[in-house]
Amino acid sequence: GQNIDQPTEMTATEGAIVQINCTYQTSGFNGLFWYQQHAGEAPTFLSYNVLDGLEEKGRFSSFLSRSKGYSYLLLKELQMKDSASYLCAVLGGATNKLIFGTGTLLAVQP
Amino acid sequence: EAGVAQSPRYKIIEKRQSVAFWCNPISGHATLYWYQQILGQGPKLLIQFQNNGVVDDSQLPKDRFSAERLKGVDSTLKIQPAKLEDSAVYLCASSPGELYETQYFGPGTRLLVL
């Protein structure tokens, strides 16, 4: 079976750092994606990890541990515009299907 | 570079009616995906095309949903007849067609079935 877990909601303060965790169990693994989705808009690509370790891209970083089935998205210097849903998605299966988690709704407060 | 285009953006229909959605992927992208996103959930893959061939339609409710991608470019997704539980956002995405590729999403069509 395939299962992706991430917290439903998180709250953080403007200027702070927040870590959004994602654990997964999938048949086959070809990488893990993080997408950002503002309310009423399409998901936009943030990061892709296929090897263990940390990938840094500006204020956003993503970490992967394949042996633990675990990833996190780290957001630094939070801004109000970072308030959105963050979707963890694993690429796997026989047809390289992208399986999404339910998303973590992040609220950034002043 | 133009992104993935979808129309209409919003649609309200009554149950048992039919509806169709249109998607134009990023130019040159061989792979096209249709997802259903119910409120509060992540997108769920309905069907994946590679050029004009179906790669995966295992989660497409084939008794009421159909999709086609003639000529390997634009695609249409149809629901006939619609049910209340079909109320969702229907997202189209495309990717170049290589392994481990990033998918780029369109703005989606928000469907409300009354």
Side-chain angles (χ1 to χ4, degrees):
Chain A
Q2 305 188 92
N3 190 49
I4 299 176
D5 286 317
Q6 51 181 132
T8 304
E9 295 180 350
M10 297 183 71
T11 302
T13 304
E14 192 175 16
I17 299 173
V18 71
Q19 178 174 311
I20 303 174
N21 296 323
C22 172
T23 58
Y24 63 89
Q25 293 176 309
T26 60
S27 57
F29 179 84
N30 288 320
L32 186 143
F33 291 80
W34 285 94
Y35 280 83
Q36 179 192 59
Q37 187 175 29
H38 284 100
E41 298 182 13
T44 55
F45 169 75
L46 288 178
S47 68
Y48 169 64
N49 294 69
V50 66
L51 299 176
D52 291 351
L54 187 68
E55 294 280 344
E56 298 186 78
K57 190 184 296 184
R59 294 190 298 116
F60 293 9
S61 302
S62 56
F63 171 84
L64 175 67
S65 169
R66 289 172 296 171
S67 62
K68 296 181 179 178
Y70 168 68
S71 173
Y72 67 73
L73 180 69
L74 193 71
L75 290 76
K76 304 175 185 175
E77 302 170 15
L78 281 172
Q79 301 175 10
M80 298 299 291
K81 67 178 183 179
D82 297 329
S83 293
S85 183
Y86 290 85
L87 299 165
C88 173
V90 174
L91 192 63
T95 55
N96 234 21
K97 185 185 305 183
L98 198 59
I99 308 297
F100 282 87
T102 56
T104 297
L105 186 61
L106 174 66
V108 180
Q109 299 178 338
Chain B
E1 176 182 270
V4 177
Q6 291 187 247
S7 68
R9 293 295 311 277
Y10 305 92
K11 191 74 177 178
I12 301 174
I13 62 173
E14 295 187 348
K15 60 183 179 183
R16 291 187 289 273
Q17 284 188 322
S18 301
V19 65
F21 313 129
W22 174 83
C23 172
N24 182 246
I26 292 173
S27 178
H29 279 195
T31 309
L32 185 147
Y33 314 80
W34 282 102
Y35 288 88
Q36 180 193 59
Q37 187 175 24
I38 293 172
L39 188 64
Q41 299 182 18
K44 182 185 81 171
L45 180 69
L46 293 176
I47 188 167
Q48 176 181 343
F49 291 95
Q50 181 83 12
N51 297 308
N52 60 351
V54 176
V55 175
D56 186 344
D57 64 355
S58 57
Q59 298 189 102
L60 186 74
K62 298 180 185 65
D63 57 333
R64 298 184 301 106
F65 286 63
S66 65
E68 60 182 10
R69 191 183 184 198
L70 300 177
K71 301 180 182 178
V73 181
D74 293 7
S75 177
T76 56
L77 176 69
K78 297 179 181 177
I79 308 175
Q80 180 179 2
K83 293 185 176 181
L84 297 177
E85 58 261 36
D86 298 332
S87 294
V89 177
Y90 290 85
L91 295 164
C92 179
S94 71
S95 63
E98 301 168 357
L99 284 176
Y100 318 139
E101 68 274 29
T102 298
Q103 295 181 24
Y104 298 91
F105 286 82
T109 296
R110 191 173 298 272
L111 174 68
L112 179 60
V113 182
L114 302 175

